[in-house]
Amino acid sequence: MVPVVQLCGYKSVKVLQIHSVWIGTLKNTFLVSICIYICFALVSDKLYQRKEPVISSVHTKVKGIAEVTEKVTEGGEMKSLRNIFDSADYTFPLQGNSFFVMTNFLKSEGQEQKLCPEFPTSPSAKCKSDRDCIKGWMDPQSKGIQTGKCVQYDKNRKTCEIFAWCPAEEGKEAPRPALLGSAENFTVLIKNNIDFPGHNYTTKNIFPDLKIPCTFHKTQNPQCPIFRLGDIFQEAGENFSEVAIQGGIMGIEIYWDCNLDSWSHRCRPKYSFRRLDDKYTNKSLIPGYNFRYAKYYKENNVEKRTLIKAFGIRFDILVFGTGGKFDIIQLVVYIGSTLSYFGLATVFIDLLINTYSSAFCRSGVYPCCKCCEFCAVNEYYYRKKYELVMEPKSTLKYVSFVDEPHIRMVDQQLLGKSLQVVKGQEVPRPQADIMNLSRLSLSLHDSPPIPGQPEEVQLLRREVTPGSKDSPGWCQCGNCLPSRLPENRRALEELCCRRKPGPCITTSELFRKLVLSRQALQLLLLYQEPLLVLEEEATNRRLRHCAYRCYAIWRFASQDMADFAILPSCCRWRIRKEFPKTEGQYSGFKYPY
Ligand code: GDP
Ligand code: ZN
Ligand code: ZN
């Protein structure tokens, strides 16, 4: 069950406020720039609007007349034939938003269904004798069904006879220049009705204020819905007479970007053009756009047809765009999504403090004085902000040598190796806090050793001489004793107060006053438990543990490190000697977690 306190309570985070002019200015500059950006994006992209895609219908009408001069052979004589083409002749209704304008054609006139030699384009059409032709064979490339005979096509070529619309279409190239080159001057009227059903808004591209007839011009008349075909090609950067020969596909894009808000209503189309087929394909890859159609008629009761291969331009009309209208939900969502940007100021300033603290300076990237000053300030903030928490692993221990300024962190299994010889990792010694110092002054006023116990002082004097013979090999101060722990834990206590030979820390005045002073330790115990009755045996145990703690706090300063601090053997035994256990083994260091 969740406690009532938790249900009725509220957890908040504690913050660290840094009073600094330049950090403050930096933060404000950041916030103001972010604010400006958010407002700018909101207004320029109209992010407060709900947008909806357009749905539309298109209707087109092509107008224009072209005169075509065809060359025909009549009775072995070449003749020019004038022909007029109007919209019924050159436009074809297509499905979807498309229309087609024929610009070039090939005519095969007077075709009727009978037998004739095939046109010798495909390899299967050519033959030497009847054996090369297969009766009933239908080649997808050919125009009819083979009869199995090989007949003369012209003076020196023979092809298979087919049953087809004869005479078979000659595989001629499209005429150059295009026969309906003047289609460039045709015009097309595009009627486009659009709808935004979600906003319940309908409109069209022909506005009442338009003067019709007109011709579209990108700058002078951008709203006119009548387009000259030549202009469309020019806008798209294409050459009409070139495309007219083989045909092509042209896209007319109508873009509607509608603002349906009553205070800034605007809904006008924008026209643009682009060629949609591949203009770079070479001949072998079937360039252009063409198809075949036929006109049928009867002559002397025989059905005949005129086959026309029409080359031309297919125009595809692509309508797209959105309509937007103010929507409070969109606005709230947008504002919500931008809130996280304000956190960027914190991220950036934290990054600055972290990167440009002394570690960066010490790395020597910027050894200039100005920078170091700046770094020192950052270092100060950094120290205030950060607290390093090590995982309380059973392998973690801290060691402090009196002849080294730093503390060593050992995070490994000892496996029988003395703790004294393990290198570990250097960590800076935390600065002593005022609490310890006040206790220090407390102990310093401690009365001098009671004159009634001179032998103890004697003892101490004798012990201070470093390099005593019975100290173990790893000892550098001469006061350490071999561990009495079981074999497997012994290595943990094989630690001296020094790295290199020299005087022992236990001989220092401070050790006596801070760690060994019975009066100070008693005071500390009473401080925690004011009514504590201090009697001999149990007291010794408490005083001893308190002394261990005092030493650890003195040498390691931080509470966290003190929990994992290992006492040097000399200190351990000096404390044990002062506050001994009358019976049984000392249990030694235990992991606190
Ligand atoms: P005991 O009094 O018979 O249990 O034996 P000890 O005199 O060895 O004291 C054991 C207590 O002191 C345990 O709580 C240990 O965690 C603590 N202790 C002993 N040695 C160390 C040490 O090197 N460092 C720290 N931080 N604590 C120690
Ligand atoms: Zn030693
Ligand atoms: Zn020592």
Side-chain angles (χ1 to χ4, degrees):
M1 217 180 77
V2 187
V4 181
V5 184
Q6 261 187 30
L7 274 182
C8 306
Y10 168 71
K11 281 183 198 142
S12 182
V13 281
K14 232 175 161 173
V15 292
L16 182 82
Q17 170 143 15
I18 297 179
H19 275 278
S20 155
V21 175
W22 82 264
I23 289 190
T25 321
L26 198 67
K27 180 201 74 181
N28 288 329
T29 319
F30 242 98
L31 295 187
V32 169
S33 344
I34 289 169
C35 228
I36 291 174
Y37 169 74
I38 288 172
C39 295
F40 173 75
L42 178 73
V43 175
S44 72
D45 284 0
K46 302 196 185 64
L47 293 170
Y48 52 81
Q49 287 186 334
R50 185 164 58 82
K51 308 231 165 163
E52 205 199 337
V54 66
I55 57 172
S56 82
S57 67
V58 174
H59 175 62
T60 55
K61 256 188 171 79
V62 186
K63 282 196 175 152
I65 308 277
E67 189 190 349
V68 178
T69 328
E70 281 179 83
K71 290 198 171 64
V72 280
T73 32
E74 224 171 72
E77 220 180 292
M78 276 283 262
K79 259 181 150 186
S80 280
L81 202 75
R82 277 183 76 205
N83 239 332
I84 286 292
F85 276 70
D86 70 5
S87 55
D89 302 317
Y90 58 72
T91 63
F92 301 91
L94 294 176
Q95 245 124 52
N97 291 346
S98 300
F99 64 94
F100 177 80
V101 175
M102 185 165 79
T103 51
N104 210 355
F105 59 87
L106 282 170
K107 241 186 205 173
S108 314
E109 275 174 305
Q111 284 189 332
E112 74 177 90
Q113 296 201 3
K114 58 181 183 187
L115 300 176
C116 59
E118 193 169 349
F119 189 73
T121 39
S122 66
S124 73
K126 288 179 196 145
C127 60
K128 286 200 175 87
S129 67
D130 289 355
R131 263 183 303 163
D132 296 334
C133 303
I134 311 153
K135 191 178 175 191
W137 169 246
M138 280 181 283
D139 184 27
Q141 297 294 325
S142 100
K143 301 279 186 295
I145 305 170
Q146 292 192 359
T147 56
K149 279 189 202 153
C150 188
V151 291
Q152 209 72 31
Y153 174 76
D154 55 15
K155 258 189 222 149
N156 37 23
R157 279 186 292 181
K158 273 178 128 184
T159 58
C160 290
E161 191 187 48
I162 50 169
F163 177 66
W165 284 97
C166 293
E169 185 190 25
E170 300 172 34
K172 272 204 273 183
E173 283 273 314
R176 252 168 219 275
L179 295 173
L180 279 99
S182 54
E184 197 174 3
N185 295 321
F186 293 176
T187 58
V188 56
L189 167 77
I190 300 175
K191 281 204 267 179
N192 179 205
N193 284 27
I194 61 148
D195 193 10
F196 296 110
H199 299 310
N200 195 17
Y201 182 82
T202 312
T203 191
K204 56 181 185 290
N205 69 334
I206 302 171
F207 302 98
D209 56 340
L210 263 178
K211 282 186 215 78
I212 288 183
C214 60
T215 312
F216 173 86
H217 188 273
K218 202 172 179 183
T219 47
Q220 280 154 25
N221 210 350
Q223 288 306 322
C224 177
I226 301 168
F227 305 86
R228 204 180 77 98
L229 301 192
D231 291 351
I232 292 179
F233 274 74
Q234 209 177 352
E235 285 289 335
E238 299 287 339
N239 184 343
F240 185 88
S241 38
E242 196 53 44
V243 184
I245 297 165
Q246 292 283 359
I249 302 170
M250 195 68 179
I252 301 177
E253 294 169 345
I254 309 181
Y255 175 61
W256 293 86
D257 181 19
C258 288
N259 184 353
L260 306 179
D261 288 329
S262 52
W263 60 87
S264 59
H265 188 281
R266 207 194 134 76
C267 197
R268 292 273 155 123
K270 254 192 216 123
Y271 301 96
S272 56
F273 315 95
R274 81 179 66 236
R275 187 158 173 196
L276 298 180
D277 65 327
D278 190 359
K279 56 180 163 185
Y280 299 110
T281 40
N282 55 29
K283 272 188 188 165
S284 61
L285 288 170
I286 314 144
Y289 181 78
N290 65 65
F291 57 86
R292 286 179 181 80
Y293 75 101
K295 291 191 260 191
Y296 298 89
Y297 57 94
K298 271 197 173 164
E299 200 179 83
N300 305 330
N301 231 3
V302 178
E303 187 168 17
K304 290 197 170 186
R305 74 172 190 186
T306 303
L307 179 72
I308 296 171
K309 182 177 181 183
F311 299 86
I313 295 148
R314 192 182 85 197
F315 291 87
D316 289 354
I317 299 163
L318 312 161
V319 184
F320 60 101
T322 51
K325 203 171 190 177
F326 176 80
D327 185 48
I328 188 76
I329 295 173
Q330 283 297 320
L331 183 64
V332 171
V333 167
Y334 172 70
I335 292 174
S337 70
T338 56
L339 287 183
S340 59
Y341 293 147
F342 288 100
L344 278 182
T346 319
V347 172
F348 180 75
I349 293 172
D350 275 359
L351 195 77
L352 209 72
I353 292 177
N354 302 353
T355 350
Y356 289 85
S357 53
S358 319
F360 179 72
C361 244
R362 270 185 251 118
S363 72
V365 181
Y366 276 118
C368 62
C369 293
K370 189 87 201 131
C371 164
C372 282
E373 204 177 285
F374 172 78
C375 287
V377 175
N378 281 348
E379 174 89 4
Y380 174 72
Y381 297 143
Y382 187 83
R383 271 211 309 275
K384 287 278 168 207
K385 250 173 59 144
Y386 284 84
E387 191 177 357
L388 182 75
V389 180
M390 294 297 296
E391 187 191 350
K393 280 187 284 191
S394 64
T395 49
L396 179 70
K397 0 183 201 298
Y398 291 100
V399 173
S400 163
F401 293 110
V402 71
D403 51 350
E404 277 184 350
H406 47 259
I407 289 171
R408 283 173 188 270
M409 183 182 77
V410 177
D411 190 7
Q412 65 188 68
Q413 222 95 46
L414 292 175
L415 303 170
K417 214 157 122 194
S418 306
L419 185 53
Q420 175 78 17
V421 296
V422 178
K423 267 221 143 22
Q425 192 188 331
E426 290 180 15
V427 286
R429 184 186 295 278
Q431 284 171 341
D433 74 27
I434 204 77
M435 282 301 289
N436 296 340
L437 288 178
S438 67
R439 214 177 63 233
L440 177 74
S441 66
L442 198 116
S443 337
L444 289 179
H445 291 128
D446 187 13
S447 54
I450 304 141
Q453 300 167 322
E455 45 316 323
E456 192 173 310
V457 183
Q458 281 296 308
L459 211 72
L460 219 137
R461 285 276 139 70
R462 196 156 36 79
E463 277 178 0
V464 299
T465 17
S468 141
K469 293 217 174 55
D470 36 326
S471 67
W474 43 263
C475 174
Q476 305 291 332
C477 70
N479 285 342
C480 297
L481 292 176
S483 172
R484 285 185 207 158
L485 286 179
E487 187 82 53
N488 59 338
R489 290 176 57 210
R490 205 162 280 172
L492 190 72
E493 289 195 352
E494 290 179 351
L495 176 72
C496 183
C497 64
R498 307 188 57 93
R499 197 89 187 155
K500 297 198 181 88
C504 179
I505 191 168
T506 56
T507 62
S508 71
E509 181 71 6
L510 265 181
F511 187 83
R512 193 175 61 76
K513 290 193 168 175
L514 286 177
V515 184
L516 294 182
S517 162
R518 183 174 288 266
Q519 232 186 343
L521 294 173
Q522 273 174 354
L523 205 75
L524 274 174
L525 287 180
L526 283 171
Y527 185 80
Q528 283 160 7
E529 283 178 65
L531 295 180
L532 184 73
V533 183
L534 297 162
E535 24 129 334
E536 224 10 76
E537 178 52 33
T539 316
N540 251 9
R541 196 178 143 265
R542 298 192 71 147
L543 288 174
R544 186 170 66 242
H545 292 184
C546 189
Y548 292 150
R549 186 86 196 152
C550 280
Y551 175 84
I553 294 280
W554 169 37
R555 297 297 299 154
F556 296 86
S558 106
Q559 291 279 342
D560 294 337
M561 281 195 209
D563 284 343
F564 297 94
I566 304 297
L567 264 65
S569 176
C570 49
C571 302
R572 182 188 304 278
W573 289 106
R574 184 68 194 85
I575 293 169
R576 284 176 182 174
K577 190 171 172 194
E578 198 73 24
F579 313 105
K581 189 176 187 175
T582 45
E583 57 197 55
Q585 275 262 335
Y586 292 101
S587 57
F589 175 72
K590 284 193 216 86
Y591 274 93
Y593 303 104

